[in-house]
């Protein structure tokens, strides 16, 4: 089925998910929407996120998408269940695949989760992991400065190292052995987290796991695209198209073209 | 005239302006709106900021305000001129008073300006200072991490010190003697900026200067409130009322009550 996959996030972070989808499923086309006028989602309320996500899903449906990936942890936490009941194409978030992988990976039974304030206060990773195995201990930590630091380009920088070290100090002292990078920006800090957490801690990248889960879903539902070379990747944002394209090109080199502007409040 | 003064900002930052207004004009009532659903403004485009500001002005007019202060540098930079032509009550931003003070203060003729990406890329302080005195040199620096650092509570912290030191290093090496804190969050970092810049640099706090300018305007236009003890301060936000009230209470202790929620997109 040669229709595109819809992917959305509050901004550029979801491109780490889009990148994994393009890399694992090279025949699939994608339509990406980044809500750059209303970024960040991590500090907004449940009701607001549900409203924003609903508008974006309506927009993506005008692009004839065959499935939708909510490439944003906060929106996955708050809006996935409601959206599932409202549309008749498959829709998935980024929480489930990461939670399953973390639950499978831990040997000591203690999992750490880092994310935005919204994701952490929703408790969604803890709930999802406990649905898989009620005996696992989940230790969460909100890291509100990491998105601004990444967006300022301080990916390899001693300030970012220090801020991450402070955020994870409790997780380290409680000897977790599996850490979920529960925000789509954080895979860009994968190496730093790895160095600070040390070899005994496995990092779980929900972007990678979500793309794997999507691939299984498309195969199961017989929705995979044909290998006919007709692949496209379109990008839309609600504001600041040029800045988006610049940042996006550094995350997905050679894939991102000029982004279109959408007046998302009209949907 | 016992009607309230309307004040708005993208979030809590404008409370530094509200605080100065309440302190300098204890007889005046105020209605504050913080656009917490759509914060931050500093990284958004001109068109988006004009639209958002127009919606907020319409909301404030439903509260019968007698004058409006745009307590946000980005919105002042982008929306003030257009809003002036659209409403028939006095409206002022935070740029003008700060620019005049900086122009009067400098002895060497070199002024530094720090602010968000939006304010700095608008060039509004440079333009306004040059309208006052075309021979002054203005050196600008965008500091996108400072708002997140303040909102994370890292006001007295070595990470914030280091980030500020990096941001102002060029301003220091070019020997400015007057520095405009061109974002309403930055007065909360006044002491840190003062320590890092040293005694030879005067800091200009536009919140303080704007309240002074407003006082003159109310006196000139015969709009001052009577000293009848009937003073109120109302607060509204577009999202996350509780978090706002918590942060706001630390900036204006004893003044901030529970904030009301407004669906600002309907205006």
């Amino acid at each position: 089925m040669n229709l595109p996959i819809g992917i959305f996030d509050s901004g550029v972070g979801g491109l780490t998910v889009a990148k994994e989808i393009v890399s694992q499923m090279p025949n699939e086309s994608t339509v990406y929407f980044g809500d750059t006028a209303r970024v960040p989602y991590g500090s907004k309320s449940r009701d607001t996120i549900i409203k924003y996500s609903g508008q974006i899903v309506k927009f993506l449906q005008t692009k004839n998408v065959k499935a939708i990936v909510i490439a944003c942890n906060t929106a996955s936490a708050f809006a996935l269940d409601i959206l599932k009941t409202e549309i008749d194409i498959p829709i998935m978030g980024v929480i489930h695949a990461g939670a399953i992988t973390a639950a499978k990976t831990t040997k000591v039974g203690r999992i750490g989760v880092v994310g935005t304030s919204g994701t952490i206060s929703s408790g969604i990773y803890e709930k999802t992991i406990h649905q898989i195995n009620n005996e696992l201990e989940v230790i969460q930590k909100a890291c509100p400065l990491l998105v601004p630091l990444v967006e300022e380009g301080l990916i390899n920088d001693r300030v970012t190292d220090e801020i991450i070290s402070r955020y994870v100090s409790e997780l380290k002292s409680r000897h977790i052995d599996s850490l979920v990078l529960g925000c789509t920006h954080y895979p860009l800090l994968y190496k730093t987290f790895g160095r600070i957490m040390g070899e005994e801690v496995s990092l779980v990248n929900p972007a990678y796991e979500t793309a794997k889960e999507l691939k299984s879903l498309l195969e199961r539902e017989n929705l995979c695209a044909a290998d006919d070379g007709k692949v496209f990747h379109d990008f839309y944002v609600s504001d600041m198209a040029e800045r988006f394209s610049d940042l996006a090109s550094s995350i997905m080199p050679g894939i991102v073209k000029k982004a279109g502007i959408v007046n998302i409040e009209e949907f």
Side-chain angles (χ1 to χ4, degrees), chain A:
Chain A
M1 197 186 203
N2 282 3
L3 298 175
I5 297 159
I7 306 166
F8 77 89
D9 177 43
S10 56
V12 296
L15 290 168
T16 60
V17 181
K19 185 181 184 173
E20 289 292 344
I21 290 172
V22 170
S23 152
Q24 292 182 35
M25 289 161 274
N27 294 334
E28 297 295 342
S29 296
T30 60
V31 176
Y32 184 95
F33 179 82
D35 199 359
T36 47
R38 304 187 293 196
V39 70
Y41 279 12
S43 52
K44 294 184 173 70
S45 71
R46 178 184 173 83
D47 288 349
T48 296
I49 298 302
I50 289 171
K51 180 174 139 191
Y52 288 1
S53 301
Q55 290 172 324
I56 297 168
V57 163
K58 276 187 198 141
F59 162 71
L60 288 173
Q61 289 192 297
T62 69
K63 299 293 172 191
N64 286 320
V65 296
K66 65 185 172 188
I68 291 176
V69 177
I70 310 179
C72 166
N73 282 271
T74 308
S76 299
F78 289 153
L80 176 62
D81 287 347
I82 287 176
L83 290 171
K84 266 185 181 166
T85 66
E86 289 177 352
I87 60 174
D88 53 8
I89 56 172
I91 181 165
M92 58 191 289
V94 284
I95 310 285
H96 185 254
I100 285 202
T101 307
K104 279 185 191 162
T105 307
T106 181
K107 292 192 182 85
V108 299
R110 277 188 303 279
I111 297 167
V113 179
V114 284
T116 62
S117 304
T119 302
I120 295 306
S121 68
S122 77
I124 185 74
Y125 273 103
E126 189 168 22
K127 273 177 231 160
T128 311
I129 291 168
H130 282 161
Q131 281 163 7
I132 300 162
N133 181 346
N134 200 21
E135 293 187 350
L136 296 173
E137 194 179 347
V138 180
I139 305 156
Q140 304 189 101
K141 181 66 189 174
C143 308
L145 281 170
L146 297 188
V147 169
L149 286 165
V150 166
E151 299 209 335
E152 181 73 334
L154 302 186
I155 287 175
N156 297 303
D157 191 286
R158 67 171 183 272
V159 163
T160 307
D161 285 13
E162 162 135 14
I163 292 288
I164 292 179
S165 295
R166 293 187 195 180
Y167 281 143
V168 300
S169 67
E170 191 199 341
L171 305 179
K172 284 189 80 166
S173 69
R174 292 180 66 181
H175 300 289
I176 59 162
D177 68 347
S178 175
L179 176 64
V180 180
L181 303 181
C183 167
T184 50
H185 279 73
Y186 299 177
L188 301 168
L189 300 168
Y190 194 94
K191 282 186 189 165
T192 310
F193 269 108
R195 194 175 66 246
I196 293 170
M197 296 308 297
E199 281 179 7
E200 62 275 25
V201 177
S202 305
L203 300 185
V204 177
N205 176 357
Y208 175 82
E209 308 299 338
T210 298
K212 262 174 67 180
E213 192 174 278
L214 174 67
K215 195 176 178 193
S216 306
L217 181 144
L218 295 183
E219 286 164 0
R220 202 167 60 236
E221 306 263 336
N222 213 10
L223 288 172
C224 296
D227 182 9
D228 60 4
K230 291 178 186 159
V231 176
F232 63 89
H233 301 290
D234 290 342
F235 297 86
Y236 296 90
V237 290
S238 45
D239 200 11
M240 303 288 265
E242 273 192 32
R243 189 176 133 81
F244 174 87
S245 300
D246 288 349
L247 264 167
S249 300
S250 67
I251 297 174
M252 296 178 78
I255 301 278
V256 179
K257 298 166 298 201
K258 199 167 165 291
I261 289 267
V262 177
N263 188 348
I264 197 66
E265 288 176 14
E266 283 180 359
F267 284 86

